[in-house]
Amino acid sequence: TLPYSFYKANAPGSPGAVAAVPWRRARSRGVEDNELNLPNLAAAYSSILRSLGEDPQRQGLLKTPLRAARAMQFFTKGYQETISDVLNDAVFDEDHDEMVIVKDIDMFSMCEHHLVPFVGRVHIGYLPNKQVLGLSKLARIVAIYSRRLQVQERLTKQIAVAITEALQPAGVGVVVEATHMCMVMRGVQKMNSKTVTSTMLGMFREDPKTREEFLTLIRS
């Protein structure tokens, strides 16, 4: 059972409510699917090259479709993993109720609208409820959800909800800062633009002092 604060923060109609999606969900893509789908994916890249006016048979592009196909599978390898795979035995009983923060976690993801990267940093804080998580696992959770086709808003919420469902803390805060290549290389072409999103659950949403402590610490 999740803490009352989680249900209160996510009650129907409440601001920022999120659907409680089980974190032990099945993979949407297995490792064996990569090899099965690789020829089709490479063929699709060959078609893209031809549609761009290029010749996939010229020397510099002969192996490009296969390379691009393998690269895209790597960029989206989060579909091959689940949170339960990552957490394994890394949830520990601990009588600690002060804030835990891991900040400046590097993040690389792919914009699902344009299939170009967005990159940045993730800051995570939580208030333990008799359990703590191995610190490296927070970075692994970020990797699972960022290595998919994403929008930053959903990525931020998925990280927060996964931690809440897996650890059942008194509260979770997640802030993501990212630069989107779809705004840098095309469209408005603003080199220095940065997008910041946040999700606050439990005490991080309910208690302004807790939220302010978290935001102050990640800026320090």
Side-chain angles (χ1 to χ4, degrees):
T1 303
L2 296 175
Y4 167 73
S5 57
F6 177 78
Y7 291 108
K8 180 178 178 182
N10 292 286
S14 64
V18 297
V21 180
W23 57 274
R24 296 180 186 274
R25 71 190 69 181
R27 299 168 187 78
S28 59
R29 189 178 90 206
V31 176
E32 64 279 2
D33 294 327
N34 286 342
E35 290 304 315
L36 290 174
N37 294 328
L38 191 60
N40 287 338
L41 191 54
Y45 277 109
S46 291
S47 177
I48 289 172
L49 290 172
R50 282 191 294 270
S51 298
L52 292 174
E54 268 290 357
D55 176 12
Q57 297 304 310
R58 72 176 176 85
Q59 185 181 29
L61 294 178
L62 274 176
K63 295 184 178 180
T64 295
L66 184 60
R67 291 192 192 103
R70 291 193 184 280
M72 184 58 76
Q73 287 180 337
F74 180 81
F75 297 154
T76 60
K77 67 187 182 75
Y79 292 121
Q80 299 169 201
E81 300 176 290
T82 67
I83 299 300
S84 55
D85 293 334
V86 167
L87 296 188
N88 204 2
D89 297 321
V91 177
F92 306 102
D93 295 331
E94 192 68 44
D95 188 20
H96 180 78
D97 58 3
E98 297 296 329
M99 193 178 297
V100 176
I101 294 176
V102 177
K103 65 179 186 176
D104 296 325
I105 301 170
D106 291 332
M107 178 275 299
F108 307 88
S109 194
M110 295 288 289
C111 167
E112 68 179 33
H113 299 147
H114 302 98
L115 296 185
V116 292
F118 64 96
V119 301
R121 299 179 299 167
V122 180
H123 315 293
I124 299 173
Y126 71 93
L127 284 171
N129 182 25
K130 305 300 182 182
Q131 288 186 318
V132 296
L133 184 62
L135 297 178
S136 66
K137 302 304 181 182
L138 294 172
R140 292 288 302 278
I141 290 173
V142 170
I144 283 180
Y145 288 111
S146 62
R147 292 294 190 177
R148 302 179 180 192
L149 302 184
Q150 277 286 12
V151 295
Q152 185 174 329
E153 297 87 342
R154 181 172 67 239
L155 170 63
T156 308
K157 188 159 289 187
Q158 284 178 331
I159 294 168
V161 172
I163 295 168
T164 297
E165 293 179 344
L167 198 55
Q168 302 182 23
V172 174
V174 177
V175 173
V176 178
E177 309 172 52
T179 298
H180 292 247
M181 293 301 105
C182 58
M183 289 183 64
V184 173
M185 298 175 65
R186 57 162 298 282
V188 293
Q189 299 181 52
K190 299 301 181 184
M191 295 292 294
N192 297 314
S193 64
K194 186 175 291 186
T195 301
V196 181
T197 51
S198 70
T199 295
M200 304 290 171
L201 300 177
M203 292 297 293
F204 285 74
R205 175 178 288 275
E206 299 166 9
D207 183 6
K209 290 184 178 179
T210 299
R211 183 166 59 252
E212 184 58 34
E213 179 185 354
F214 170 60
L215 294 175
T216 299
L217 289 172
I218 65 173
R219 292 180 191 129
S220 62

